[in-house]
Amino acid sequence: MADDIDIRIRVNGLPRRATVPPRLTLADFLRVNCGLTGTHLGCEHGVCGACTVLLDREAVRACLVFAVQADGSDVTTVEGIASPDGELSVVQAAFREHHGLQCGFCTPGFVVSVTAFLAENPKPTDEEIRAALSGNLCRCTGYQGIVNAVRAAADREDSV
Amino acid sequence: MTAVSENGHRTAFVDNDKKPCGHGRMLRKEDPRFVRGKGRYVDDLDLPGMLHLAVLRSPFAHARVLSVDTTLAEAHPKVRLVVTGAMLAEKGLAWMPTLSNDVQAVLATDKVRFQGQEVAFVVAEDRYAARDALELIDVEYEPLDPVIDVRTALSPDAPVIRDDLEGKADNHCFDWETGDEAETEAVFARADVVVTEDIVYPRVHPAPMETCGAVADFDQVDGRLTLWSTTQAPHAHRTLYAIVAGLPEHKIRVVSPDIGGGFGNKVPIYPGYVCAIVGSLLTGKPVKWMEDRAENLISTGFARDYVMRGEIAATRDGRILAVRTQVLADHGAFNGTAAPVKYPAGFFGVFTGSYDIEAAHCKMTAVYTNKAPGGVAYACSFRITEAVYLIERIVDCLAYELAMDPVELRMKNFIRPEQFPFRTKTGWVYDSGNYAPTMELTKELAGYDALRAEQAEKRARGELMGIGVSFFTEAVGAGPRKDMDILGLGMADGCELRVHPTGKAVVRLSVQSQGQGHETTFAQIVAEELGIPPQDIDVVHGDTDQTPFGLGTYGSRSTPVSGAAAALVARKVRDKARLIASGMLEVSVADLEWEKGSFHVAGDPEASVTIQAIAMRAHGAGDLPEGVEGGLEAQICYNPENLTYPHGAYICVVDIDPGTAKVTVRRFVAVDDCGTRINPMIIEGQVHGGLTDGVGMALMEMISFDEDGNCLSGSLMDYLIPTSLEVPDWETGFTVTPSPHHPIGAKGVGESATVGSPPAIVNAVVDALKPYGIRHADMPLTPSRVWEAMQGRPTPPI
């Protein structure tokens, strides 16, 4: 088996150094090595999106990225979305206000995806919102509360 | 009837002058942790020294296990334990009882009976090593012919799957019958019109986003087992572990932490849980088992798989006289169906639906096949999905034959409000219902007449637009203990309420949320009864050491059973508070009046004490009235006298591309009546989720097999569940017809939309295809299947 590799990754603003096997996924690195269990595993083949994190500000499937590939990168997980004093981000608050979650398992992936989406497209149309959400599966909400939350977050960020 | 707008979506309600209970829309207490990634799900648990378990599964649907060689796996430097079926057999643990009084192999000993069945397991230092070691186990199989098609399972030459059962010479699982056969036959004989249709409800899977898993921690010093697991019924699981493993029940603690969706998938006990327990018993370390998506789809509880022949008899002018059905039920290799013992077919007996008919009869045969066990799951309310699909499909077939509007046909045959409580011809006693206004509201919200006009115009242009209707009656809240038990455990639920000295409270439930919002809504129930703000009430659930015994959350039973318990335990506390208040105000109990949150002396509102002051007195200094103990708490075990029967009317509008046969759900209007509404926001979310299930089942989802028994749906690339692009903006409304026997008039609702929406969608697709002369096509109505139907080649999905 290949030798372990030294990596340095900035996770939610904090530098992390680790020696990991090359096949360790970024999702497992975050969950097991960093103890950041908000990133969830719903399929481990890139379909469900529950493991979505920001890799250098871009939303990626952490189950399809090896931790060693993230060497030298900046990673943001759902735990890094709220402000340091604990105040919910506009997106997080909107998910709560619009009942965009139930069991909460897909929520971290959605929060991260939507955060990246609104950063790139702050004034989306309803069609763009649904298209942007289509890479994340949810079994509870029927997406309506999530669509409403994204709409509200976009409108609110717009007005700020 | 008032139309209100919420979030820009049309919502409307008919409130039959009943004040809704609770605080209405209240944001969820659960959300702050979930949106921050601070939920605590099973796989988030990390204990000192914890080991990881992986399961080796059968590649064959049916094969004899000749040998299992674990030598190489055991030599792996990170492996601590390898266990085979033979090893479990020595401990008497190779087989376990199922929720249907059958047995299921924990690890295969003699044969494997479905692809994905558990054959051996490995415990290693990390998950990667455990998976590596699986590849080092060498199993020698002798393949046997599999039984895949349910229709041939009972042929005389079919291979016998369950040769483990003594004297078993065929694949017959059970027969079941309800209704009066002779009476039904007589009514059919004199009917003007009889319509027969073969209708398949294909095998699907609940596929919760979080798969099943567990962490078992056996403390060898105390002899105490703690099991964190993805279970919807922690107390029932504890009792079954005690019985199966021989551990004393007081030494077992089952904890169901945050659960990432259940949908019935997490009711049964799976071999993986037992393996984790065995792994911890043998290693003395905590052992985690977390299945992957493929394992979840191919080996855990499937749903549906009913092959039904439906027949309906009516007069020429559309009076429905009788319904009968023959059902062939595929139960897979072991009968693991989760259902009350006396109900092997669940509550399929409610297949007479919302209609007042003269006779009904059902004859069912269940069989074994070389597939995973299950059947009851995925918001089915114990087979009501199948029952409602059958009746709502066959009523549409009748409308087709009579060339009658499907709404009109339904309205003509509804059970009328004055007939409740209504005993159906199969013996179910519906508690309450006022069906016509619910249907009318749905029509109004949908703009039904305008839709039909639009459809006529489009048809003239060759465009394919369909309008589908379904009207359903659910039966939820199992159930009265004289009739209903799971493996001998009566289906009652406990509730404990403790008010602290400062007037804050904790309520402990026997049911277990998997996202349905119990932490919020149960606080609302208690708040309404006691006047303590819901923010001051914590809800504890899921931990068998901390909560009263009860049967768990499935079958939309939480509100009907545990919700009743929560209201009644609060009233019990209130009764005691009244005694204490009489002492504090120095008046007799009869002179006290309760006004939410305080007692005051009749005629003198100034002389009052709050529930908070009473709580302090209950714990504090100063005398209490004669015979009153200190403290302010109570407990209860609620035995429901009947189920609750929520209902709903759904209208779906679809467009079909005539070139590609792709179905688009353009609109969906859902009006639900679940009696008193505790939290409208949460109900709406439950409905949205269930409607999406309906789109999945009607158009996309199916667990299918090839002729060798290979499961073709083992990933989310193959098992398609709806994304945000396959569902429309949902339009919802409600009516309120309270349950007369429920303490707050509330009925269950969680599964209503999953039950009610598939027929609405299929009815819409078939309606769109009317120009093709199609009366029925089986789910899932994928483009290829719709295309086949348009060519006159509809095929059943098996």
Side-chain angles (χ1 to χ4, degrees), chain A residues 23 25 28 31 37 42 44-45 47 86 92 96-97 99 102-104 130 134 139-144 148, chain B residues 9 25 28 35-36 40-41 43-44 127-128 132 206 293 378 685 688-689 692 701 716 722 724 729-730:
Chain A
R23 66 173 176 171
T25 67
D28 284 339
R31 289 180 49 79
T37 55
E44 299 182 64
H45 51 257
V47 179
Q92 288 170 316
R96 184 174 189 222
E97 179 67 35
H99 192 35
Q102 291 179 29
C103 81
R130 282 203 179 260
S134 66
R139 240 5 202 163
C140 295
T141 64
Y143 303 102
Q144 188 71 62
N148 296 345
Chain B
H9 300 280
R25 187 177 196 272
R28 299 202 322 162
V35 295
R36 287 182 170 89
R40 281 293 168 265
Y41 303 87
D43 196 27
D44 301 343
R127 192 167 67 106
Y128 288 63
D132 284 343
R293 178 55 58 191
Y378 204 175
H688 292 163
T692 306
E701 299 178 22
L716 294 180
S724 52
D729 279 348
W730 304 113

Side-chain angles (χ1 to χ4, degrees), chain B residues 485-623:
Chain B
D485 67 276
I486 297 241
L487 291 185
L489 303 172
M491 299 188 80
D493 272 278
C495 196
E496 288 176 12
L497 174 61
R498 185 180 300 172
V499 184
H500 302 314
T502 55
K504 315 294 182 191
V506 57
V507 57
R508 299 167 195 276
L509 316 175
S510 58
V511 294
Q512 160 61 25
S513 174
Q514 312 112 44
Q516 300 93 328
H518 294 167
E519 289 173 33
T520 305
T521 52
F522 279 78
Q524 290 183 277
I525 294 172
V526 173
E528 178 72 12
E529 297 293 335
L530 270 189
I532 295 174
Q535 292 76 11
D536 289 351
I537 302 167
D538 252 11
V539 175
V540 175
H541 58 133
D543 183 337
T544 57
D545 271 8
Q546 291 205 49
T547 57
F549 186 88
L551 271 259
T553 295
Y554 42 84
S556 302
R557 64 188 299 281
S558 290
T559 294
V561 191
S562 213
L568 293 178
V569 81
R571 289 175 197 175
K572 212 166 161 180
V573 164
R574 199 167 72 200
D575 288 343
K576 180 171 178 180
R578 180 188 295 270
L579 296 175
I580 297 170
S582 77
M584 292 168 79
L585 294 169
E586 296 179 337
V587 293
S588 79
V589 166
D591 290 334
L592 287 174
E593 283 180 0
W594 170 254
E595 195 169 331
K596 197 168 153 186
S598 64
F599 284 104
H600 64 84
V601 177
D604 182 7
E606 298 297 305
S608 73
V609 284
T610 63
I611 187 75
Q612 288 81 5
I614 296 168
M616 185 55 84
R617 171 63 72 104
H619 293 88
D623 278 344

Side-chain angles (χ1 to χ4, degrees), chain A residues 7-160:
Chain A
I7 56 171
R8 292 161 170 242
I9 305 178
R10 186 172 281 269
V11 181
N12 298 332
L14 292 175
R16 301 248 182 192
R17 296 177 66 155
T19 305
V20 300
R23 66 173 176 171
L24 182 74
T25 67
L26 179 58
D28 284 339
F29 172 75
L30 294 167
R31 289 180 49 79
V32 179
N33 300 48
C34 304
L36 295 168
T37 55
T39 301
H40 293 154
L41 293 169
C43 72
E44 299 182 64
H45 51 257
V47 179
C48 80
C51 66
T52 306
V53 300
L54 300 181
L55 182 62
D56 292 332
R57 296 181 175 212
E58 206 166 316
V60 299
R61 308 291 209 217
C63 77
L64 295 187
V65 176
F66 291 118
V68 295
Q69 291 176 286
D71 186 22
S73 303
D74 216 37
V75 172
T76 304
T77 69
V78 68
E79 290 92 342
I81 297 286
S83 69
D85 65 1
E87 196 190 333
L88 296 181
S89 74
V90 170
V91 170
Q92 288 170 316
F95 266 71
R96 184 174 189 222
E97 179 67 35
H98 295 275
H99 192 35
L101 63 149
Q102 291 179 29
C103 81
F105 199 78
C106 71
T107 309
F110 269 101
V111 165
V112 170
S113 289
V114 169
T115 301
F117 167 63
L118 290 180
E120 202 170 284
N121 186 353
K123 293 182 182 177
T125 63
D126 289 353
E127 290 70 27
E128 287 170 337
I129 291 175
R130 282 203 179 260
L133 296 175
S134 66
N136 289 72
L137 296 178
C138 170
R139 240 5 202 163
C140 295
T141 64
Y143 303 102
Q144 188 71 62
I146 298 174
V147 170
N148 296 345
V150 178
R151 175 85 273 152
D155 291 348
R156 186 170 152 200
E157 287 190 318
D158 195 36
S159 67
V160 170

